[in-house]
Amino acid sequence: MSKSLFRASGVVGLMTLLSRLLGFVREIMLAAKFGAGGGMDAFLVALMIPNFGRRMFAEGAFSQAFVPVFTETKTTRSHEEARDLVAVTMGTLGGVLSVITIIGCAAAPLLVWAFASGFHDDPAKAELSAGLLRWTFPYLMFISLTSMAGGVLNAYGNFAIPAFTPVILNLCLIASAFIDSGSVQALAWAVFAAGILQFLFQLPALWKLRLLPRPRWGWRDLRVRRIVGLMIPVMIGSSVAQISLLLNSNLSTHLGDGPVSWLYYANRLMEFPLGIFSIAIGTAILPTLSAQHATRSAGQFAATLDWSLRLMLVIGLPAAVGMVLLAGPLVATVYGHGRFAADDVAMTTYALWAYGLGFIGFSLIKVLTPGFYARQETRLPVRFAIIGLCVGMAVSLLLFALARHYHFAAAHVGLAASTSITAWVNALLLFHRLRRDGIYTAGAGWGLFALRLLLACAALAAVVLWMAGPLDWWTAARARDKALQTALIVAAAIVVYFGVLAASGLRLRHFRRSLA
């Protein structure tokens, strides 16, 4: 079991790595061509709004509700019933999203006012954002259908195609920079095209599985009602982190030109390892946990969670340490070109520090929530997410008010820090409940495992601090020199980290052996 999960996580991680590497190319081009000014702020808000819906609905509520129900149908019923479930779900989902898309495009100015109220001090920026949003908003519909198709493929063990699909968005945005390098309008057109292409890319794989029936409206279908019933609380829970990010982005629009972009660029760097490792593990274990719950294999269910936590920490903890200690060099290397000035590098670095401190919290949420959703328990994660959101929002508003009162130049850092606090509160509540209810029981050897990780991370930190040097060098150095030095530091840190783990007795087989 763990061997197949290890392979599935690796496939998702590898495909996500390809997507994130192309994402880096995309971000480098955006930063160099548009910097962190008003035009880029407008596009990021226009992209942020459908992305909010995507993460809350498509990758959050819908996938977490649909995958357990579909996996149960696939496991316990006939192929024809699974095919029929795809038909009614796709038809109902497509119909609802079509209406939402029409409303969203018509209400674009109102949405910009709600999500970026500070833009209305600059009518030209607000108008530009609304115009861009009318092109980016349909992305929500297409990516939601893509997410459904990906959930079906994941249930059949096909992780590569859904994980590769995000590459298409990056390719479209990169291509748009060559088509029209002087206008952010081209970026909005690229997002619209990417949504269509991502959905079409999934269809041949569904056809091969004989799971591409004619969609039909099925709002009264009991299975659809069951998915919707599961979705509502999950939607609230999945939206919590996004609401926190959007609150902070809204507040940042009151800080002038730049903070929206600084937070975005820092968040993209934080999400690079999060998407490759943590989300990959969470994606891989959800179908397995759902099947184990359906067959009432409580011991294997707990063992799968234990395996995923260990693997996440082995990869996520050094990523968090390296992200914080190497924040300045990373920002300078990836973004410090063209119109992205030295001050932009510094301000983005400060935000990355704050996000980096919450990286393990974000990762724990991705790994622990499948432990609830696979059992079709959706209310508790919502409750915990709301508690975390309330704490984070209170911290965010307090830090924002203090920064404005004392004219703190890096006021956006408090906004990023509050998002990390939200993640930690949510993650700790999830972990405590799984432990308390006996759903998760820790396997043997956690003490020795933790000691190995601490020693390896300490060695990694020493190497990074010794090789990184002052930030002034990174902002003044040539792009080639920065890239080479960053590669050397990362390579040395990886070798030292895994070398210490190996010397302390940790082996790859510890994550491939059967946990049953």
Side-chain angles (χ1 to χ4, degrees):
M1 178 267 291
S2 63
K3 185 175 181 179
S4 62
L5 281 177
F6 188 87
R7 183 183 301 111
S9 299
V11 169
V12 176
L14 182 61
M15 294 297 102
T16 307
L17 174 61
L18 175 60
S19 174
R20 294 304 168 96
L21 288 174
L22 282 173
F24 265 147
V25 175
R26 180 190 83 189
E27 304 306 339
I28 290 170
M29 294 180 65
L30 293 181
K33 292 182 179 297
F34 301 105
M40 193 62 193
D41 284 355
F43 169 72
L44 292 177
V45 167
L47 182 62
M48 181 194 312
I49 294 172
N51 267 339
F52 169 77
R54 172 179 66 88
R55 294 183 178 183
M56 179 183 73
F57 183 78
E59 295 175 355
F62 178 75
S63 62
Q64 299 285 11
F66 172 74
V67 170
V69 174
F70 181 79
T71 302
E72 180 182 336
T73 302
K74 167 185 170 291
T75 303
T76 61
R77 306 287 180 86
S78 67
H79 184 79
E80 287 68 26
E81 289 181 273
R83 177 183 171 88
D84 187 64
L85 178 58
V86 172
V88 294
T89 306
M90 185 175 292
T92 307
L93 177 66
V96 171
L97 288 172
S98 296
V99 174
I100 292 175
T101 298
I102 293 171
I103 295 173
C105 291
L110 181 61
L111 289 173
V112 171
W113 176 84
F115 285 90
S117 57
F119 280 8
H120 286 267
D121 295 333
D122 185 347
K125 187 189 291 188
E127 183 179 354
L128 174 61
S129 297
L132 296 174
L133 180 58
R134 291 190 176 96
W135 282 98
T136 60
F137 197 90
Y139 181 76
L140 171 60
M141 176 175 68
F142 295 115
I143 202 63
S144 297
L145 293 170
T146 300
S147 178
M148 177 194 165
V152 172
L153 294 176
N154 286 345
Y156 281 85
N158 187 337
F159 293 93
I161 291 176
F164 178 82
T165 301
V167 169
I168 296 172
L169 174 62
N170 292 326
L171 291 175
C172 288
L173 285 169
I174 291 170
S176 71
F178 289 101
I179 294 171
D180 185 356
S181 61
S183 172
V184 292
Q185 182 68 58
L187 300 177
W189 296 336
V191 172
F192 178 82
I196 299 173
L197 293 174
Q198 285 176 306
F199 178 54
L200 294 177
F201 182 72
Q202 306 270 6
L203 299 186
L206 289 179
W207 178 267
K208 186 176 181 180
L209 291 170
R210 295 188 296 114
L211 288 171
L212 192 61
R214 178 180 297 177
R216 73 174 193 274
W217 180 258
W219 184 256
R220 296 183 181 276
D221 190 287
L222 293 179
R223 297 165 299 178
V224 173
R225 291 294 182 94
R226 183 181 173 195
I227 293 171
V228 172
L230 292 170
M231 277 179 61
I232 293 173
V234 179
M235 186 181 298
I236 299 172
S238 298
S239 67
V240 166
Q242 300 308 308
I243 290 173
S244 177
L245 285 171
L246 287 172
L247 171 66
N248 291 339
S249 295
N250 199 326
L251 292 175
S252 70
T253 63
H254 293 269
L255 300 175
D257 290 342
V260 173
S261 298
W262 298 332
L263 289 171
Y264 169 80
Y265 288 127
N267 185 257
R268 292 294 300 172
L269 280 175
M270 187 271 292
E271 287 195 350
F272 180 79
L274 185 68
I276 295 173
F277 307 126
S278 307
I279 296 177
I281 295 171
T283 300
I285 66 173
L286 180 58
T288 298
L289 289 173
S290 300
Q292 289 168 345
H293 177 69
T295 57
R296 303 186 184 279
S297 303
Q300 293 184 9
F301 192 99
T304 299
L305 283 176
D306 191 75
W307 172 88
S308 62
L309 285 172
R310 293 185 192 230
L311 183 60
M312 184 277 292
L313 288 173
V314 163
I315 303 175
L317 193 58
V321 173
M323 188 187 310
V324 173
L325 297 182
L326 203 59
L330 285 174
V331 172
T333 301
V334 176
Y335 301 132
H337 314 281
R339 296 178 61 185
F340 206 84
D343 182 62
D344 296 324
V345 170
M347 292 299 179
T348 305
T349 297
Y350 303 151
L352 184 56
W353 285 344
Y355 282 134
L357 294 176
F359 179 79
I360 296 298
F362 290 114
S363 299
L364 284 171
I365 292 172
K366 299 300 181 183
V367 172
L368 294 175
T369 48
F372 291 88
Y373 296 147
R375 297 181 293 117
Q376 300 179 27
E377 168 57 74
T378 59
R379 296 184 182 276
L380 286 175
V382 171
R383 184 190 308 170
F384 299 150
I386 290 175
I387 293 172
L389 175 63
C390 291
V391 173
M393 288 176 65
V395 172
S396 182
L397 291 170
L398 175 62
L399 294 177
F400 179 78
L402 289 174
R404 291 293 297 271
H405 179 73
Y406 290 104
H407 304 288
F408 181 45
H412 65 292
V413 175
L415 304 179
S418 69
T419 302
S420 293
I421 292 171
T422 297
W424 270 112
V425 172
N426 192 1
L428 292 175
L429 290 172
L430 290 168
F431 181 78
H432 173 73
R433 189 57 182 251
L434 287 172
R435 291 273 291 175
R436 198 197 78 172
D437 291 351
I439 304 301
Y440 167 67
T441 53
W446 266 95
L448 179 59
F449 176 73
L451 179 60
R452 287 166 169 165
L453 286 186
L454 290 175
L455 290 174
C457 285
L460 177 148
V463 169
V464 171
L465 290 173
W466 175 57
M467 296 183 66
L471 183 59
D472 291 343
W473 181 87
W474 292 91
T475 55
R478 295 180 302 174
R480 183 181 62 183
D481 295 335
K482 289 187 290 187
L484 178 60
Q485 185 65 11
T486 300
L488 289 174
I489 295 173
V490 171
I494 291 173
V495 169
V496 168
Y497 175 76
F498 285 104
V500 172
L501 286 182
S504 65
L506 192 66
R507 298 290 186 271
L508 180 64
R509 67 174 182 271
H510 293 148
F511 297 95
R512 299 183 62 134
R513 69 176 64 168
S514 175
L515 294 175

